[in-house]
Amino acid sequence: MRAQVPDWNSPRAQQLIADGDVGGLIRWARQQRGWRQADLGTKTGYSASAVSRLETADRPATDLDMLKRFADALVIPAGVLAAVLGVTPPRTTTVASAQRPAASEEDPMKRRSLLAAGLAVPALALDHLDEALALLPAPAFAPSADRLTAQYRRARAQFNRGAHADLIEALPDLLATAEACADHGEAADYARLAACYDLATETLSKVGRYDASRITADRSNTYARLSGDPLAGAASARAFSIVLRHGGRAATAQRVTLHAAAQVETTGLVTPAQARTFAQMLCTVAYAAAEAGDRDRALEMIRDAERAAALLPDQPGVPTFSVTPASVTLYKVGVLWSLGDAGAAVHAGRDLRPGQFATAERRGRLHTDMARAWWRWNKPEQTAHALLAAHRTAPAEVRDRPSIRAIVTDLAHHHPRTSAVRELVAATRVRTTA
């Protein structure tokens, strides 16, 4: 057969993609190039029999790294591979703005709340996001890299200041724009798409929607690996680890983050972004190890992170991760708290100050992490003071996070006469009766 460049819009290719026939698509692309199975095996480092097994399996039981190696050899576009794998959600043909009623037209009875009292993310916004994950809307405006960059920066700023309701309203169009930009994109487009899904994962995990966050984490993982960028892979692994830990799979989270850290380390850490990402992943591994009960690994990793952070260059701009000695210390507080060393966690964070953290979300997290340590140490007054500080700094860190709301509720039930607790209950409007 004379070699030719595969036509991915041909009826045969489109049928294989629609059927999700990964093996069939690999076989068709190989044949279009006039290669034997042994030829493809030589180019990818696999045997001819391995190529045969992949091509003839109904649903190839293999990992994405193997598939990407075959796709790279056959020059299968990342968008085609994503489509045949089924990771690109279906889209509607109407614009997002036409699917969503104006605020004045919404039924007030639908504005359910995640909290019994106080402000929170409206359930209607979460319903819209759930629908978007199942059937992605068309972008509200013509997609472009510049528009996507601007949307992402606005969304990240909303996350940083704790504007969860506004962010969740914005996520469907952000994801729609990012998906559209990656339809026929390069590796960088898939890295940006993964970053948008990471932001969705962080936000959904923050407000306790772990079922939806698992969907966004899975998509980010696939797109990050399609991009081939180890920094995108690290960011995806970090977000995925949050979902895994909340699902009681801390040991898996530890393995996922360890693998991602190792991939980043292979870059040689020659750029500030690589060095910061590696330091961040050491922190993430430490926390996952602590949650898994691996005390030795957790303490080893957090010490390594402290050493790595001390060597970071003073680089302007916004790297993949903003890691500082103070942020590593805050992780240490969380690691020690998770290991059950509440007193050591309080001691580790004693010199941390809000001014050391650049965003309201991180400053609020400082106070809530210290509150968790005080609470585990059975110090209700100090716990309440820390949560009051968090509420003043970033109300959403107290209002929207289920684990922190639970502490407020426990304080209200068991220590209602403590002055700081009374002030906290008044500020957060938590109900004191079941």
Side-chain angles (χ1 to χ4, degrees), residues 60-374:
T62 187
D63 60 41
L64 188 60
D65 290 332
M66 179 182 180
L67 284 177
K68 191 169 186 302
R69 188 176 297 183
F70 278 71
D72 288 344
L74 293 165
V75 198
I76 298 177
V80 172
L81 184 58
V84 75
L85 288 171
V87 298
T88 303
R91 298 192 176 99
T92 64
T93 57
T94 56
V95 298
S97 58
Q99 294 185 330
R100 170 181 310 136
S104 60
E105 299 171 345
E106 292 173 355
D107 181 358
M109 295 302 293
K110 291 184 178 179
R111 287 192 170 275
R112 305 185 306 275
S113 172
L114 293 180
L115 291 179
L119 297 175
V121 179
L124 184 59
L126 289 163
D127 290 344
H128 282 151
L129 181 54
D130 284 342
E131 291 172 6
L133 293 177
L135 188 65
L136 198 69
F141 300 95
S144 68
D146 288 344
R147 180 174 293 280
L148 175 59
T149 298
Q151 282 184 274
Y152 179 81
R153 286 176 176 170
R154 285 195 299 271
R156 176 55 69 178
Q158 289 169 331
F159 180 88
N160 287 341
R161 67 173 183 269
H164 299 150
D166 292 340
L167 175 53
I168 286 173
E169 285 279 6
L171 278 174
D173 193 54
L174 173 66
L175 297 175
T177 302
E179 289 272 8
C181 287
D183 266 348
H184 303 288
E186 303 296 331
D189 297 303
Y190 283 93
R192 284 189 287 267
L193 178 53
C196 292
Y197 275 113
D198 288 338
L199 180 57
T201 301
E202 289 184 78
T203 306
L204 289 164
S205 296
K206 182 92 71 174
V207 302
R209 290 296 286 253
Y210 306 119
D211 52 347
S213 69
R214 178 57 191 257
I215 295 172
T216 56
D218 283 343
R219 289 183 185 166
S220 170
N221 180 58
T222 298
Y223 288 127
R225 295 175 75 178
L226 286 172
S227 78
D229 183 350
L231 302 192
S236 176
R238 176 175 176 265
F240 191 23
S241 73
I242 298 171
V243 179
L244 290 169
R245 293 198 309 268
H246 282 293
R249 300 178 61 193
T252 303
Q254 181 182 353
R255 290 192 294 272
V256 167
T257 51
L258 268 172
H259 175 74
Q263 293 298 107
V264 174
E265 193 171 20
T266 63
T267 66
L269 310 181
V270 295
T271 70
Q274 291 167 352
R276 291 182 188 278
T277 301
F278 183 64
Q280 172 64 65
M281 293 311 296
L282 292 176
C283 291
T284 306
V285 171
Y287 195 84
E291 288 283 285
D294 189 345
R295 182 182 184 86
D296 291 341
R297 172 66 60 80
L299 296 178
E300 175 191 359
M301 291 294 102
I302 201 64
R303 285 193 295 267
D304 287 348
E306 288 174 321
R307 287 191 287 268
L311 298 174
L312 288 175
D314 184 14
Q315 180 76 9
V318 182
T320 305
F321 294 111
S322 296
V323 182
T324 64
S327 69
V328 174
T329 300
L330 184 55
Y331 262 94
K332 186 174 184 178
V333 171
V335 166
L336 293 169
W337 168 84
S338 185
L339 291 172
D341 296 343
V346 169
H347 182 77
R350 69 191 185 283
D351 294 327
L352 291 175
R353 298 291 179 267
Q356 295 173 297
F357 300 89
T359 69
E361 187 268 342
R362 285 292 95 183
R363 292 191 289 272
R365 190 61 183 256
L366 162 64
H367 295 305
T368 57
D369 278 8
M370 293 301 293
R372 292 193 307 173
W374 284 117

